């Protein structure tokens, strides 16, 4: 048999590395500003990238993380404003643990500049409701100019700063700051409030946008059971009524927020409560309990009718209650609720 010749050629291709960005801009005015780039081995990717060799530049620091395969470029105050072109020579690690340079150098351009003129653009949603303590306006950071980093903190300044609170949060991967009402402050729905946001970015405090807004107040809706309360002159004791209020979630009501409006309530009914005068004394209308049911605020009331002779059988007596929820704005009148009491023998 004739011999068979087999020719085998082995070609080794050099590994190649690509960065997620070929250039970065860093502001030296911001303490320790940094850019994080992702490195990817595009050829011979079975090799482990261990880092880069490069000529050092004063004020620039490059840190490679083998675990995440990311390159962090940092700038400090010693860097001179300029454009630097760095030739980063990939360094790979063999199975033996030895490291060696291989492949072509990766070019990275670093633009260093120095400015304290930093601006932030934001968008907002939500509103403040005087009777809903948890209501908020949420501002989302859309863009920070002249800074690579994110916000480190936020506070308020301006004429109404002391009336509100603000907190920095992370929502769906985006930085936001939430503006809320300060406990114990009474608001006015006709007032336009104005606050500015003092932003902390990389050790620099920046006077951010100034925003104007109003505090609204939701209206209460109510129902009464029974719609017409019956009172029999022969009965002794209290007349019980239950009020059901529909209010926004988070709104609350205290016992001292429910009062009889003596000016609009039938005078004979008020005389029946107490000593024959036309004022409502303490204890003549009692708020037995306030509770929540099916998402509504329920109030159990009782009227202490001591002088039933003032209630003529067959007649109806309108009773008006003033309902003032917690946090009620100073210019918003109480919600008035009218119930009817009909007298029987």
């Amino acid at each position: 048999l004739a011999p068979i010749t087999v020719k085998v050629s082995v070609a080794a291709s050099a590994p190649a590395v690509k960065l997620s960005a070929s250039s970065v801009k860093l502001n030296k005015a911001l303490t320790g500003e940094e850019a994080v780039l992702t490195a990817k081995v595009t050829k011979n990717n079975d090799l482990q990238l261990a880092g880069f060799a490069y000529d050092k530049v004063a004020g620039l620091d490059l840190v490679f993380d083998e675990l995440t395969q990311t390159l962090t470029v940092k700038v400090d105050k010693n860097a001179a404003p300029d454009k630097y072109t760095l030739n980063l020579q990939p360094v790979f690690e063999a199975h033996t643990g030895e490291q060696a340079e291989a492949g072509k150098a990766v070019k990275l351009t670093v633009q260093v500049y120095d400015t304290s003129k930093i601006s932030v653009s934001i968008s907002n949603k939500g509103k403040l409701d005087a009777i809903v303590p948890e209501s908020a306006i949420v501002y989302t950071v859309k863009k920070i100019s002249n800074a690579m980093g994110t916000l480190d903190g936020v506070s308020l300044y301006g004429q109404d700063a002391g009336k509100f609170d603000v907190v920095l949060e992370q929502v769906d991967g985006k930085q936001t700051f939430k503006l809320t009402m300060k406990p114990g402050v009474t608001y006015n729905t006709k007032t336009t409030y104005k606050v500015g946001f003092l932003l902390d970015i990389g050790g620099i405090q920046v006077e951010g946008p100034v925003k104007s807004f109003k505090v609204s107040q939701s209206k209460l809706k109510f129902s009464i059971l029974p719609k017409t309360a019956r009172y029999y002159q022969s009965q002794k004791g209290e007349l019980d009524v239950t009020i059901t209020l529909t209010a926004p979630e988070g709104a609350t009501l205290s016992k001292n927020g429910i009062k009889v409006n003596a000016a609009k309530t039938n005078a004979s009914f008020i005389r029946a409560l107490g000593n024959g005068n036309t004022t409502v004394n303490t204890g003549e209308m009692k708020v037995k309990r306030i509770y929540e049911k099916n998402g509504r605020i329920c109030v159990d009331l009782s009227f202490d009718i001591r002088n039933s002779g003032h209630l003529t059988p067959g007649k109806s007596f309108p009773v008006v209650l003033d309902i003032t929820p917690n946090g009620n704005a100073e210019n918003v009148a109480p919600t008035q609720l009218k119930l009817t009491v009909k007298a029987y023998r």
Side-chain angles (χ1 to χ4, degrees):
L1 295 174
I4 299 175
T5 302
V6 178
K7 185 178 181 181
V8 178
S9 61
V10 178
S13 60
V17 176
K18 184 177 182 180
L19 295 176
S20 56
S22 59
S23 64
V24 295
K25 294 177 67 177
L26 299 174
N27 185 358
K28 65 172 288 185
L30 301 176
T31 304
E33 183 171 54
E34 62 184 35
V36 180
L37 308 177
T38 301
K40 183 178 181 181
V41 180
T42 58
K43 291 182 180 179
N44 278 353
N45 53 14
D46 56 330
L47 296 176
Q48 176 70 25
L49 181 64
F52 295 94
Y54 64 97
D55 293 332
K56 304 289 185 181
V57 177
L60 289 181
D61 187 22
L62 277 63
V63 179
F64 185 74
D65 188 320
E66 285 191 63
L67 182 63
T68 61
Q69 294 286 284
T70 55
L71 177 68
T72 301
V73 185
K74 297 182 180 181
V75 65
D76 63 36
K77 62 182 180 179
N78 296 317
D82 203 347
K83 180 182 287 187
Y84 300 93
T85 299
L86 305 179
N87 291 307
L88 308 180
Q89 177 61 55
V91 176
F92 292 90
E93 184 172 310
H95 296 295
T96 60
E98 296 180 351
Q99 295 184 351
E101 298 178 5
K104 291 184 178 180
V106 181
K107 184 178 291 187
L108 176 65
T109 302
V110 181
Q111 175 76 54
V112 176
Y113 61 104
D114 186 1
T115 180
S116 58
K117 294 181 180 179
I118 300 167
S119 61
V120 179
S121 61
I122 57 177
S123 61
N124 66 276
K125 66 177 181 178
K127 66 177 183 178
L128 297 175
D129 190 325
I131 64 174
V132 183
E134 298 302 318
S135 61
I137 301 176
V138 178
Y139 296 90
T140 300
V141 178
K142 297 175 65 178
K143 182 181 179 182
I144 303 178
S145 299
N146 290 330
M148 286 289 294
T150 56
L151 300 181
D152 300 315
V154 60
S155 57
L156 298 175
Y157 73 93
Q159 65 181 41
D160 296 312
K163 298 176 182 177
F164 301 91
D165 289 325
V166 66
V167 61
L168 182 65
E169 295 182 334
Q170 194 84 8
V171 179
D172 296 331
K174 297 182 179 180
Q175 282 199 302
T176 67
F177 34 99
K178 184 168 69 174
L179 182 75
T180 56
M181 297 175 293
K182 189 178 288 289
V185 176
T186 301
Y187 298 94
N188 190 307
T189 61
K190 293 183 179 180
T191 299
T192 298
Y193 297 97
K194 184 180 292 186
V195 298
F197 297 99
L198 191 62
L199 309 173
D200 186 359
I201 306 173
I204 292 181
Q205 285 198 322
V206 179
E207 289 190 357
V210 175
K211 294 295 182 179
S212 298
F213 53 88
K214 289 186 175 182
V215 176
S216 63
Q217 180 166 324
S218 298
K219 292 183 178 181
L220 300 179
K221 298 180 181 180
F222 56 85
S223 60
I224 307 169
L225 291 175
K227 291 184 178 180
T228 299
R230 295 189 176 195
Y231 186 79
Y232 295 89
Q233 285 190 331
S234 59
Q235 78 183 63
K236 293 182 179 180
E238 300 171 339
L239 172 65
D240 294 327
V241 177
T242 297
I243 301 169
T244 301
L245 300 170
T246 300
E249 184 178 358
T252 59
L253 183 65
S254 301
K255 289 184 177 182
N256 60 5
I258 306 171
K259 300 182 183 301
V260 175
N261 187 319
K264 295 185 177 182
T265 295
N266 183 276
S268 295
F269 182 82
I270 295 178
R271 289 191 181 96
L273 292 177
N275 299 317
N277 55 30
T278 55
T279 59
V280 180
N281 300 318
T282 302
E284 292 176 350
M285 184 202 75
K286 298 177 183 177
V287 180
K288 288 186 171 182
R289 65 170 180 151
I290 300 175
Y291 55 99
E292 186 176 327
K293 185 177 181 180
N294 297 327
R296 296 183 177 185
I297 299 174
C298 298
V299 183
D300 290 343
L301 299 175
S302 67
F303 296 94
D304 186 11
I305 298 178
R306 302 176 185 177
N307 304 300
S308 59
H310 289 287
L311 303 179
T312 303
K315 287 191 174 182
S316 295
F317 303 89
V319 179
V320 177
L321 301 178
D322 287 341
I323 311 294
T324 307
N326 294 330
N328 197 81
E330 62 185 8
N331 64 309
V332 176
T335 297
Q336 292 194 335
L337 181 156
K338 181 179 178 181
L339 62 93
T340 301
V341 176
K342 189 169 184 177
Y344 293 85
R345 289 190 184 278

